[in-house]
């Protein structure tokens, strides 16, 4: 018997309990022995809940019980999740988490503590919810040199952009609808400004490099400036607009950023819509592979946590290897990376001739019923050169990068 404890009985924590109960026979078979939840830590009581007798309010009860070998940390935030996770690992108890903020901030330290104490720190659910991506990177792609990761890593922003594209609606109205339906938080800043995706790509980049990518050093741009007009141009170009988290090896080093991109219909990520997420990985032998599914939600995320619990049950007293050192990586400057740009311009302030003199050869796009403006695509140019040209121009209404998917 493997006894587990759940820290935080909210959406994901209650989902973990549900998955373990509903799939009990299958999980027991795959783990090699029965897994049972012995404790649930929460500040609240849950009268009438099937697990109410397991609820405790003091973490020491769990920490000091030698029979508990696996902790499911589903609290969210940095504290007290960090303190509890650290204490558990020091006591030789494995920790499985869905907490991307904690993993991004303290992942390599907690992995080191797990190694030193012959237990595990696993975090499959921290990126992409129920999509398996951490384990494939650590196991399935072991023989590969991964040199690029491009992901749609936030379901809220993907839902908003999908609705804008399909309905021709503006950002504000779609955000409000998403909040009413529960797809967006009351304070949606972490999602719509790209911070959530930033932490996730920092984790994936760290695993790709085997060293720490500090999310605070990643250029991050959200979707709040994307307009219905942008989608009209995208449709004319047979493209879509997605919030992408991008990590690519270049001659200058690893370039990591989060921003809205136009992507062509031929790209595998083009058809990833609504609350779905996907991670597109490029490696030197396999080439491109994609991992797709529900990137959030109670049961998908809980399923990923439980998959880690099963891994812990299979490897009791042993550490599942994960190559992520505490040494911090100096990222390449995203501004030195050449790419194409889509630009919207006020026709009364900027004409094609002037635009071409500033940005080089351009491809112009004009739409019906929009005589006061036009759009154009630049050739490949560095961000620094684009910004210099943009600063000299008048009448720039907006710009979106194009993803160089080949």
């Amino acid at each position: 018997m493997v006894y587990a404890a759940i820290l935080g009985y909210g959406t994901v924590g209650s989902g973990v309990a549900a998955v373990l109960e509903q799939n009990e026979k299958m999980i027991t078979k795959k783990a090699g022995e029965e897994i049972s939840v012995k404790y649930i830590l929460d500040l609240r009581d849950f009268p009438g809940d099937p697990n109410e007798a397991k609820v405790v309010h003091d973490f020491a009860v769990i920490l000091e019980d030698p029979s508990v070998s696996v902790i499911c940390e589903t609290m969210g935030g940095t504290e007290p999740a960090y303190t509890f996770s650290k204490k558990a690992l020091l006591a030789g108890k494995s920790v499985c988490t869905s907490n991307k903020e904690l993993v991004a901030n303290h992942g390599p330290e907690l992995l080191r503590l797990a190694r030193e104490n012959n237990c595990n720190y696993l975090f499959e659910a921290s990126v992409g919810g129920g999509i398996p991506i951490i384990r494939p990177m650590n196991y399935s792609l072991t023989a590969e040199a991964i040199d690029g990761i491009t992901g749609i890593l936030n379901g809220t922003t993907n839902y908003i952009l999908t609705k804008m594209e399909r309905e021709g609606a503006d950002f504000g109205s779609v955000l409000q609808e998403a909040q009413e339906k529960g797809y967006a938080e009351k304070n949606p800043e972490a999602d719509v400004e790209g911070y959530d995706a930033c932490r996730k790509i920092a984790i994936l980049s760290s695993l790709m490099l085997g060293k720490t990518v500090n999310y605070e050093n990643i250029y991050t741009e959200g979707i709040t400036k994307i307009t219905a007009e942008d989608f009209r141009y995208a449709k004319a170009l047979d493209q879509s607009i997605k919030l992408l988290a991008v990590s690519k090896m270049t001659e200058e080093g690893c370039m990591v950023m989060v921003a809205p991109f136009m992507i062509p219909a031929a790209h595998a990520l083009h058809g990833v819509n609504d609350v779905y997420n996907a991670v597109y990985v490029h490696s030197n032998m396999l080439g491109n592979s994609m991992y797709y599914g529900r990137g959030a939600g109670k049961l998908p995320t809980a399923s990923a946590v439980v998959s880690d619990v099963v891994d812990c049950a299979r490897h009791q007293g042993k550490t599942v290897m994960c190559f992520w050192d505490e040494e911090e990586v100096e990222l390449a400057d995203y501004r030195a990376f050449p790419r194409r740009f889509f630009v919207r311009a006020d026709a009364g302030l900027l004409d094609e001739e002037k635009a071409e003199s500033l940005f080089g050869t351009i491809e112009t796009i004009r739409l019906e019923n929009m005589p006061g403006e036009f759009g154009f695509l630049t050739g490949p140019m560095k961000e620094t050169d684009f910004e210099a040209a943009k600063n000299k121009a008048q009448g720039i209404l907006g710009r979106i990068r194009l993803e160089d998917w080949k």
Side-chain angles (χ1 to χ4, degrees):
M1 174 75 75
V2 173
Y3 286 108
I6 298 172
L7 309 187
Y9 201 52
T11 300
V12 179
S14 60
V16 168
V19 171
L20 285 169
E21 180 182 350
Q22 292 178 31
N23 291 347
E24 179 183 1
K25 290 183 180 179
M26 182 191 68
I27 290 169
T28 298
K29 183 178 180 180
K30 292 181 177 179
E33 56 184 307
E34 187 178 347
I35 298 173
S36 176
V37 177
K38 188 170 185 179
Y39 300 109
I40 295 171
L41 180 72
D42 205 288
L43 294 174
R44 302 163 292 178
D45 290 307
F46 298 87
D49 188 279
N51 292 306
E52 66 173 311
K54 299 176 181 179
V55 176
V56 297
H57 306 302
D58 185 358
F59 179 65
V61 174
I62 298 168
L63 190 65
E64 294 168 8
D65 187 335
S67 70
V68 175
S69 59
V70 184
I71 305 289
C72 301
E73 188 277 296
T74 56
M75 305 176 76
T78 302
E79 285 293 355
Y82 168 65
T83 298
F84 290 169
S85 297
K86 187 173 181 178
K87 287 182 177 180
L89 294 169
L90 288 169
K93 301 179 189 292
S94 293
V95 176
C96 307
T97 184
S98 59
N99 190 339
K100 58 189 168 288
E101 184 177 348
L102 180 59
V103 176
N105 277 303
H106 299 286
E109 177 195 357
L110 297 174
L111 283 166
R112 175 176 54 78
L113 291 176
R115 289 193 298 270
E116 291 173 353
N117 293 278
N118 298 316
C119 55
N120 284 288
Y121 185 67
L122 303 180
F123 45 92
E124 182 64 69
S126 67
V127 177
I131 302 173
I133 182 60
I134 306 296
R135 197 170 281 105
M137 288 183 68
N138 282 337
Y139 292 102
S140 306
L141 301 177
T142 302
E144 298 286 325
I146 300 173
D147 55 22
I149 300 172
T150 304
I152 296 173
L153 300 178
N154 183 272
T156 298
T157 51
N158 206 41
Y159 172 83
I160 291 171
L161 292 173
T162 300
K163 292 279 285 185
M164 290 177 69
E165 180 174 34
R166 289 174 177 169
E167 300 177 4
D170 61 41
F171 171 79
S173 62
V174 176
L175 173 60
Q176 183 177 350
E177 182 182 340
Q179 289 172 317
E180 292 169 354
K181 289 186 175 181
Y183 292 137
E185 300 287 343
K186 192 172 183 179
N187 179 3
E189 182 181 25
D191 294 321
V192 301
E193 295 294 352
Y195 305 146
D196 175 77
C198 174
R199 286 178 170 84
K200 292 173 181 176
I201 196 62
I203 294 170
L204 294 179
S205 300
S206 297
L207 294 174
M208 179 176 79
L209 299 170
K211 299 178 181 179
T212 298
V213 172
N214 186 339
Y215 69 88
E216 293 181 344
N217 295 333
I218 297 174
Y219 174 79
T220 303
E221 182 181 316
I223 66 169
T224 56
K225 294 180 181 178
I226 300 298
T227 66
E229 290 76 18
D230 291 327
F231 277 104
R232 289 191 61 188
Y233 283 105
K235 183 178 180 180
L237 292 164
D238 198 23
Q239 305 234 1
S240 185
I241 302 171
K242 304 291 186 183
L243 181 71
L244 298 184
V246 180
S247 181
K248 292 183 179 180
M249 293 304 300
T250 72
E251 293 181 359
E252 293 77 26
C254 187
M255 188 282 298
V256 189
M257 67 185 302
V258 175
F261 283 82
M262 278 192 180
I263 59 175
H267 196 299
L269 292 175
H270 183 278
V272 179
N273 293 315
D274 299 312
V275 295
Y276 282 84
N277 284 191
V279 184
Y280 193 67
V281 178
H282 184 270
S283 52
N284 66 336
M285 297 294 150
L286 176 62
N288 294 320
S289 57
M290 190 172 86
Y291 308 84
Y292 169 84
R294 291 190 178 273
K298 177 177 179 174
L299 295 179
T301 305
S303 174
V305 174
V306 173
S307 74
D308 282 345
V309 175
V310 171
D311 230 7
C312 290
R314 289 172 172 170
H315 297 89
Q316 295 181 68
K318 299 178 182 178
T319 301
V320 176
M321 292 308 297
C322 178
F323 297 99
W324 180 357
D325 294 338
E326 293 178 72
E327 179 186 349
E328 191 169 310
V329 175
E330 184 176 349
L331 298 177
D333 188 347
Y334 76 96
R335 294 170 297 183
F337 193 75
R339 65 175 77 254
R340 300 180 72 196
F341 294 84
F342 163 75
V343 183
R344 281 177 59 213
D346 185 328
L349 297 174
L350 184 68
D351 59 28
E352 290 182 50
E353 184 179 351
K354 179 64 173 176
E356 198 152 72
S357 71
L358 291 170
F359 295 94
T361 302
I362 63 171
E363 178 185 338
T364 304
I365 310 101
R366 294 189 182 274
L367 301 180
E368 293 183 6
N369 302 320
M370 296 179 65
E373 66 173 75
F374 67 99
F376 62 89
L377 298 176
T378 72
M381 57 193 307
K382 294 181 179 180
E383 298 253 359
T384 48
D385 295 334
F386 175 83
E387 288 299 323
K390 178 173 172 284
N391 291 336
K392 293 177 182 177
Q394 289 185 325
I396 300 297
L397 302 175
R399 64 98 180 92
I400 302 173
R401 298 169 180 87
L402 272 67
E403 167 61 351
D404 179 18
W405 67 281
K406 294 179 182 179

